């Protein structure tokens, strides 16, 4: 019986994770016809790779003397390379950055909603994509900016797949660095008793983000960071998905943990909007990408 008692909270968390992620991400999805840059990780010579996105990113001919390191954007769970970055990618492009975004963690027959595969496998996709961007641009290093799972998953790449030699900085909006409790939504399992078993079999990317998962235990064992990489975590106290929000923070050298309400008390952003529309978070992210020219982040 003790084994069953341990499994029950895990199953509740898995069900709640899927429901919460679907609730907050699904409304921002766009029709497939507008998702030109999807699957740029697999096909860099597509129209998306030639800068076909409406915001001007994924241009593999891009060069920037002002910002020589390309920025690789990593979407969150149930996101994709377009929808997650409709606000922030153009924001970077207007400031002279070369910006690229990939899709990862795809499931067969599931368009648009990605980040559901095993996170260790998703990190391998990120590794291949970073190499592709470096080869196309001639840059020795890139900077990585991620949201939610996309802010945590690159740490696996940095720690276990040699990414630390290729990445200068990791900036994370609302990352699930130490897992999530989902604001107590685990009670929902009582209404969806079969959901956890389905999730564990078919959407391991959700399972991996539960507090105490085997994936997170391995990722965080021995320390949160690796030498040579600068880390910035940008969080909101109103986060309803990656909870508690302080579990997003990292410990170690070259780490900066930021809560947007400490910069602007009236900031009401939550888990999705912090990466999609929050100009306070955007400005702080740019400060992290170019600390030599950082300016105060205010309302």
């Amino acid at each position: 019986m003790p084994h069953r008692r341990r499994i029950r909270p895990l199953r509740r968390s898995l069900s709640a994770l899927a429901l919460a992620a679907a609730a907050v991400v699904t409304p921002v999805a766009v029709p497939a016809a507008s998702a030109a840059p999807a699957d740029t990780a697999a096909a860099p010579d597509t129209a998306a790779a030639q800068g076909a996105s409406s915001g001007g990113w994924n241009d593999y001919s891009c060069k920037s003397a002002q910002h020589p390191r390309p920025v690789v954007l990593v979407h969150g769970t149930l996101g994709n390379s377009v929808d997650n970055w409709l606000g922030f990618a153009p924001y970077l492009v207007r400031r002279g950055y070369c910006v690229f975004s990939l899709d990862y963690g795809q499931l067969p027959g599931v368009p648009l909603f990605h980040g559901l595969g095993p996170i260790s496998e998703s990190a391998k996709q990120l590794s291949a994509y970073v190499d592709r961007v470096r080869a196309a641009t001639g840059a020795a290093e890139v900077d990585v900016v991620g949201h939610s799972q996309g802010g945590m998953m690159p740490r696996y790449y940095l720690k276990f797949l040699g990414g630390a030699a290729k990445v200068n900085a990791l900036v994370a909006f609302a990352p699930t660095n130490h897992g999530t409790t989902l604001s107590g939504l685990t009670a929902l399992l009582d209404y969806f008793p079969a959901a956890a078993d389905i999730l564990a079999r078919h959407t391991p990317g959700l399972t991996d983000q539960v507090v105490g998962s085997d994936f997170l235990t391995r990722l965080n064992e021995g320390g949160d960071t690796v030498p040579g990489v600068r880390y910035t975590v940008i969080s909101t106290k109103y986060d309803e998905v990656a909870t508690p929000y302080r579990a997003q923070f990292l410990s170690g050298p070259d780490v900066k943990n930021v809560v947007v309400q400490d910069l602007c008390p009236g900031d009401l952003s939550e888990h999705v909007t912090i990466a999609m529309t929050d100009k306070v978070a955007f400005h702080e992210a740019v400060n992290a990408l170019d600390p030599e020219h950082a300016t105060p982040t205010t309302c």
Side-chain angles (χ1 to χ4, degrees):
M1 295 304 294
H3 176 70
R4 291 184 179 179
R5 284 197 297 269
R6 289 194 301 270
I7 293 296
R8 183 174 177 80
L10 174 61
R11 290 183 171 181
R12 286 183 171 180
S13 295
L14 290 173
S15 298
L17 181 58
L19 292 168
V24 298
V25 178
T26 301
V28 304
V30 296
S34 64
D39 202 23
T40 57
D45 57 344
T46 62
Q50 300 302 318
S53 78
S54 60
W57 75 97
N58 285 325
D59 177 2
Y60 281 79
S61 66
C62 182
K63 305 287 183 182
S64 175
Q66 182 182 6
H67 302 294
R69 286 187 305 274
V71 178
V72 174
L73 303 179
V74 188
H75 65 75
T77 306
L78 293 176
N80 61 61
S81 61
V82 182
D83 298 347
N84 211 137
W85 304 115
L86 289 173
F88 187 60
Y91 182 90
L92 289 179
V93 170
R94 289 194 298 269
R95 285 156 180 78
Y97 288 86
C98 295
V99 182
F100 302 87
S101 60
L102 79 155
D103 288 308
Y104 70 88
Q106 301 94 325
L107 294 181
V110 182
L112 294 178
F113 304 108
H114 303 317
L116 297 172
I119 297 181
S120 59
E121 294 300 313
S122 294
K124 294 177 182 178
Q125 291 179 275
L126 174 61
S127 177
Y129 190 76
V130 168
D131 286 347
R132 187 168 293 131
V133 169
R134 290 172 61 241
T137 61
E141 291 183 314
V142 303
D143 290 322
V144 175
V145 179
H147 176 219
S148 194
Q149 180 188 160
M152 174 270 290
M153 176 269 279
R155 293 178 49 227
Y156 188 96
Y157 164 56
L158 298 176
K159 192 169 188 177
F160 299 115
L161 302 179
K166 304 171 184 178
V167 174
N168 169 69
L170 171 61
V171 181
F173 296 115
T176 51
N177 279 323
H178 297 97
T180 178
T181 64
L182 281 160
S183 302
L185 290 177
T186 55
L188 289 174
L189 182 65
D190 293 336
Y191 300 95
F192 302 95
D197 289 333
I198 295 173
L199 290 170
R201 288 195 304 270
H202 300 293
T203 56
L206 300 178
T207 309
D208 286 345
Q209 293 180 81
V210 175
V211 170
S213 72
D214 291 343
F215 174 84
L216 287 170
T217 298
R218 184 184 181 214
L219 176 64
N220 294 316
E221 188 174 24
D224 292 346
T225 64
V226 296
V229 180
R230 292 186 293 103
Y231 297 81
T232 301
V233 173
I234 304 173
S235 303
T236 169
K237 68 179 183 180
Y238 299 121
D239 200 310
E240 77 284 26
V241 175
T243 58
Y245 75 90
R246 291 188 179 276
Q248 301 171 18
F249 296 169
L250 295 174
S251 299
D254 294 320
V255 168
K256 183 178 182 182
N257 296 306
V258 179
V259 179
V260 292
Q261 285 78 25
D262 291 340
L263 303 172
C264 179
D267 192 310
L268 299 178
S269 63
E270 45 70 66
H271 186 75
V272 173
T273 54
I274 192 172
M276 292 196 69
T277 61
D278 189 344
K279 295 301 175 61
V280 173
F282 289 5
H283 187 269
E284 191 64 14
V286 168
N287 279 349
L289 294 174
D290 188 8
E292 293 184 0
H293 298 94
T295 58
T297 301
T298 65
C299 298

